[in-house]
Amino acid sequence: MDDEGAYARAGGRLPGDPAPDPGLGTEATAPPTQVERAPRTPYGRRLVRLLPVLLIVVAILYDIFTPRYFTAGPLYTAAPLVAAPLYSRRGTALTGVAVVAAVVGLQLSKGVAHYVDSLTELITIATVAALAVFVNAFVRRTGERLVSVREIAEAAQRAVLPEPAERIGGFEIAACYEAAQADAFIGGDLYAVQDSARGVRLIVGDVRGKGMGAVAAVAVVIGAFREAAEQEATLEAVAQRLERALAREGTRRNGLDAFEGFTTAVLAELPHGDGVVRIVNRGHPPPLLLYADGTLRPLPARESALPLGMGELGVWPDRAQEDAFPGGATLLLHTDGLSEARDARGEFYDPHARLAGCVFRHPGKLLAALAEDVRRHSGGGMADDMALLAVRRPTREDLDHCHER
C-alpha cells in the first residue's frame, strides 16, 4: 500500500479515534485520495462575532417586556465594547450608533426620556460607544504589530532553517518543522543538509532550552555543521568540530547556559554511489529506515555517547556506524517531539508502530502524513517542537525514468 492510503489502514478509522487503533499498518479499506488536515468550520468564531448583535437584541427585548423603570443598560454598554476587538472601526462605530438609537427609541416609547436617570444612562452608553472606537483603533495597531512580528519570525526561520532543496546529491530530500507553541515558528530544534565531496551529510538536533538563547545556539550549530561538512574528511571529525563550536559558544555565555548547555544530535553521511549510510549519534533519538516494501527498522546507536556540548564530562571517541541504505529506502531523522507527543490518555506516539507496513514514494509525502498523524494523536496540542528530515535513495528505475525525461 502507498502513502495515499496510509490513514485508511485501520479499517476506516482515523488515528486518534476512541476505537482501538493499531496504527497505520492494518488492512486498508477505501483509502482517501490524499492526506490533508481535516477542515474545521469556525462556528465559535462566527458566534463570537455575533455577540454584539445578540446583546443589542436581548437588551431591546428586555426593555420591551419589563416595566418601564427596569433597564438593560449593562447590555447596551457591553455591545460596543465587545465589537471593538472584533469589528472594523466602521463596524464598531455603527454598533455604538445602533445602541444609542435603540436606547433613545425605547426611552421615548416608555415616556421616561425626561428623567434624570434615563439621561444619565444615555450619556453613559454614548460615552462607552465613543470609547469603543478608540479601543478599536488601539487593537488594530496592536494587530498590525503582531503581524509584523509574525513576518519577522518567518524570516528568521527561513534564515536559520532554510528549506532544503528537493534533490541534493542525487537524493530526494524533505524537511518539516512543527512548533508546539501556537504562532511560533522556530525554537530549539534544527536540521540541515549539506552536499560535500564525500557525500551528502545531514544533521537533526535539539538544543536544550527555549527562547532566543536556543535560537542562537541553533544558528551556531548549523553554521558550524555546514562549514565542517564541507571541510572534514570523516563524519566523526564533523561531530568533534561541532563539539568545539559549542564549547566556544558556552564560554561567551553567562549563567547556567555556560555550564549546562548541550545539544542532542544525530549526524548522517550518504556517500555518493554507495548504498550505505553512516551515522554518529550524540544522545539523540535513533533514525528510522523505511524500506521500499514497507519494512521499518530503527538504527539505534551501538555505543552510547553524550550530547554535543558536554565534552568536559568525559572523552569518548566518536565512531560512525554503517548500515545498508538500498534504493527505494527512506531515512527518517526526527527530534523527540515526535516520540513524546501524547494523546488524551497520556500515551506516547510510537512512530515505529504507526509507520510499519506503509510505503511512501516521496519523502515529502511521508512527512506530511506523519505530521498529520501526530497532530491527530495529540489532538493538536503537542508538548514540544518537532523537526523531521527524510531522505530517499532513488531506485535504478527512478534514475532511468529521469534520464528518459
Side-chain angles (χ1 to χ4, degrees):
M1 175 179 175
D2 61 16
D3 49 292
E4 295 175 348
Y7 287 97
R9 304 191 66 173
R13 299 190 193 97
L14 291 174
D17 287 347
D21 182 6
L24 303 179
T26 55
E27 191 64 24
T29 59
T33 56
Q34 60 182 354
V35 177
E36 58 183 15
R37 186 179 298 191
R40 297 178 180 176
T41 305
Y43 295 112
R45 182 178 299 177
R46 293 178 182 176
L47 180 60
V48 169
R49 290 187 63 83
L50 287 174
L51 274 179
V53 177
L54 294 175
L55 287 171
I56 296 175
V57 171
V58 171
I60 292 174
L61 293 176
Y62 181 87
D63 272 341
I64 291 175
F65 294 104
T66 58
R68 65 178 184 176
Y69 295 111
F70 286 77
T71 177
L75 296 178
Y76 290 119
T77 304
L81 291 177
V82 173
L86 300 177
Y87 295 171
S88 64
R89 183 178 301 177
R90 180 182 179 184
T92 303
L94 289 176
T95 302
V97 171
V99 166
V100 172
V103 171
V104 171
L106 288 168
Q107 286 181 355
L108 291 174
S109 66
K110 286 186 173 185
V112 297
H114 60 284
Y115 291 120
V116 175
D117 290 346
S118 298
L119 182 60
T120 301
E121 179 186 54
L122 179 60
I123 294 174
T124 301
I125 293 173
T127 302
V128 171
L131 290 174
V133 177
F134 289 101
V135 172
N136 174 267
F138 174 78
V139 171
R140 288 171 63 87
R141 286 196 297 270
T142 303
E144 291 172 356
R145 294 192 189 99
L146 290 176
V147 170
S148 178
V149 170
R150 186 183 182 93
E151 291 174 349
I152 292 172
E154 290 177 345
Q157 182 186 37
R158 288 192 294 269
V160 178
L161 290 179
E163 192 75 15
E166 292 186 1
R167 297 186 69 90
I168 300 178
F171 296 93
E172 298 173 349
I173 310 287
C176 173
Y177 193 102
E178 292 278 332
Q181 184 178 356
D183 296 328
F185 292 91
I186 186 172
D189 290 7
L190 63 95
Y191 57 77
V193 183
Q194 185 70 38
D195 198 6
S196 71
R198 296 165 183 83
V200 176
R201 287 171 169 174
L202 325 165
I203 183 172
V204 167
D206 188 356
V207 174
R208 170 192 172 274
K210 300 291 182 182
M212 294 307 298
V215 175
V218 167
V220 170
V221 173
I222 291 180
F225 168 78
R226 293 196 180 281
E227 181 179 3
E230 286 192 355
Q231 297 178 357
E232 299 294 344
T234 65
L235 196 61
E236 295 89 339
V238 174
Q240 290 300 314
R241 187 87 162 260
L242 298 181
E243 183 75 47
R244 293 192 295 272
L246 282 175
R248 288 194 302 270
E249 177 68 11
T251 60
R252 291 195 290 267
R253 295 188 182 186
N254 296 321
L256 185 65
D257 282 346
F259 302 98
E260 296 185 7
F262 62 86
T263 300
T264 66
V266 59
L267 295 90
E269 180 180 82
L270 308 175
H272 296 299
D274 295 337
V276 299
V277 55
R278 300 188 184 101
I279 295 173
V280 170
N281 194 322
R282 299 295 296 270
H284 199 76
L288 302 175
L289 190 59
L290 289 76
Y291 293 94
D293 62 356
T295 303
L296 186 145
R297 183 167 71 93
L299 303 177
R302 300 188 183 104
E303 297 183 15
S304 300
L306 291 174
L308 298 169
M310 300 183 70
E312 72 279 359
L313 299 181
V315 178
W316 290 271
D318 289 302
R319 294 188 178 89
Q321 64 186 58
E322 187 172 293
D323 292 277
F325 186 29
T330 301
L331 181 69
L332 174 63
L333 290 76
H334 62 89
T335 57
D336 57 9
L338 174 66
S339 55
E340 293 183 0
R342 296 174 181 258
D343 63 9
R345 298 183 297 266
E347 296 179 0
F348 289 110
Y349 185 86
D350 185 355
H352 188 282
R354 309 293 289 193
L355 291 173
C358 298
V359 176
F360 298 88
R361 299 193 198 96
H362 190 274
K365 294 184 177 181
L366 163 63
L367 298 192
L370 188 57
E372 174 65 14
D373 196 34
V374 173
R375 284 191 292 265
R376 291 184 184 278
H377 179 83
S378 62
M382 295 168 55
D384 195 6
D385 295 352
M386 177 179 70
L388 306 172
L389 181 62
V391 184
R392 180 178 180 270
R393 181 185 291 276
T395 62
R396 185 174 298 276
E397 290 76 12
D398 295 330
L399 298 176
D400 292 341
H401 179 67
C402 291
H403 291 320
E404 291 175 1
R405 295 175 58 187

